[in-house]
Amino acid sequence: MELLKDKVALVTGGTRGIGYSIVKTYLDNGAKVVLCGSKQETADKAVEKLKAENPAYDVEGIAPDLTSYESVEKAVKYVADKYGRLDIIANNAGISSNTKLYDYDPADFDKLMLINVNSCFYTTRAAAPIMKAQGGGVIINTSSMVSIYGQPAGVAYPTSKFAVNGLTKSLARELAPDNIRVNAVAPGVTNTDMVVNLPEQTRKYICAQIPLGRMGEPQDIANAFLYLASDLGSYVTGEILSVDGCARA
Ligand code: NAD
């Protein structure tokens, strides 16, 4: 079933991990996808890998600077001009932190907020007028289970995800009259580069705390991005959808 037939999607952080799975899942469901990487080289590599899996995929890679509104606006306009529309934005790019407060460089706090929060505002600010003019669209942000309880170090990360929730809930209300749905997915611990370097003992400990008994796989998260992007989620907006094996409980 092609749930996103002929839809045009922009996915940030689409080169690996959760973002790569979102891109592949959207492509498998008939969408045309423009993925963003932090460098053109990594974006090109991801596209190459996808095309090797299926040469029919309609996918290209770009590398806007997500911390610059000017650069993001240019990227959004590029997509809308080239494909004639922009239906879905998956704001997935993000960085994490585990730094203790006493060691925290304030510049690192600013950098994390720019990537995790400002980029979501920038893409939405640039895309919303285009979506409104075409009759609607969907924005999906990436939150985290730490947006519920915080975490005991790396304060910028949970702070950024609380902000993502606020942005999501507020913009959902503001943009609903324009038929633009705004939601977030809140993954639990997910098996990507973000957690791959954890010692085996830590991974085991983490899994023991998760009621479903395992980490999430990128595909588990991508499935939620598919649901929210498609008409299956047509009456869902302002939602922070936890996909965490009940780890938040
Ligand atoms: P990852 O590190 O594997 O991938 C992160 C992606 O973000 C990459 O594609 C990278 O290119 C992109 N990115 C990072 N910095 C960037 C920058 N400055 N400019 C442009 N792109 C940049 O991480 P992941 O685990 O796939 O995480 C994806 C999202 O899911 C993030 O928002 C993260 O906070 C969130 N998340 C992950 C987990 C987890 O356990 N992995 C849990 C909760 C939420």
Side-chain angles (χ1 to χ4, degrees):
M1 195 169 31
E2 292 199 329
L3 290 172
L4 303 178
K5 193 161 171 40
D6 298 329
K7 300 283 185 194
V8 177
L10 180 70
V11 180
T12 70
T15 58
R16 61 173 198 250
I18 292 169
Y20 185 87
S21 278
I22 295 169
V23 170
K24 192 168 163 0
T25 302
Y26 282 3
L27 289 167
D28 284 337
N29 279 273
K32 304 173 203 300
V33 180
V34 179
L35 66 83
C36 302
S38 47
K39 295 186 200 124
Q40 188 61 47
E41 194 190 335
T42 49
D44 290 344
K45 272 196 183 147
V47 169
E48 212 176 290
K49 193 172 156 197
L50 286 157
K51 292 263 193 193
E53 289 191 51
N54 185 346
Y57 281 158
D58 195 337
V59 59
E60 71 169 287
I62 58 175
D65 176 0
L66 298 181
T67 68
S68 149
Y69 180 65
E70 208 186 349
S71 179
V72 170
E73 188 184 33
K74 210 169 127 196
V76 165
K77 281 201 168 131
Y78 165 77
V79 176
D81 288 348
K82 180 165 176 184
Y83 295 87
R85 54 189 304 110
L86 178 50
D87 302 289
I88 301 157
I89 293 187
N91 283 312
N92 160 79
I95 52 174
S96 62
S97 171
N98 278 313
T99 310
K100 294 280 180 200
L101 180 71
Y102 297 107
D103 301 323
Y104 228 113
D105 179 343
D108 288 341
F109 186 96
D110 294 347
K111 185 179 165 206
L112 191 147
M113 294 298 281
L114 275 171
I115 294 164
N116 290 12
V117 184
N118 292 42
S119 70
C120 299
F121 169 75
Y122 294 163
T123 57
T124 308
R125 175 66 185 88
I130 295 163
M131 290 177 166
K132 180 182 178 181
Q134 74 189 14
V138 186
I139 313 276
I140 309 166
N141 299 317
T142 308
S143 182
S144 165
M145 69 174 181
V146 304
S147 74
I148 299 172
Y149 294 116
Q151 67 182 32
V155 68
Y157 186 68
T159 302
S160 74
K161 298 303 187 181
F162 273 80
V164 165
N165 292 1
L167 186 98
T168 302
K169 286 176 178 283
S170 299
L171 289 176
R173 288 176 180 277
E174 186 172 345
L175 299 178
D178 302 324
N179 196 31
I180 300 171
R181 294 187 292 109
V182 187
N183 291 290
V185 174
V189 185
T190 310
N191 205 4
T192 69
D193 287 356
M194 216 173 241
V195 298
V196 83
N197 290 326
L198 293 175
E200 188 52 32
Q201 211 179 349
T202 310
R203 290 172 68 94
K204 274 194 183 146
Y205 175 78
I206 289 171
C207 291
Q209 314 303 309
I210 301 171
L212 278 184
R214 64 169 177 90
M215 284 187 190
E217 292 301 324
Q219 189 64 56
D220 293 317
I221 314 303
N223 291 341
F225 274 84
L226 174 62
Y227 162 69
L228 291 170
S230 75
D231 284 345
L232 292 178
S234 56
Y235 199 52
V236 180
T237 193
E239 181 64 20
I240 315 297
L241 178 56
S242 291
V243 185
D244 61 3
C246 210
R248 66 200 177 282

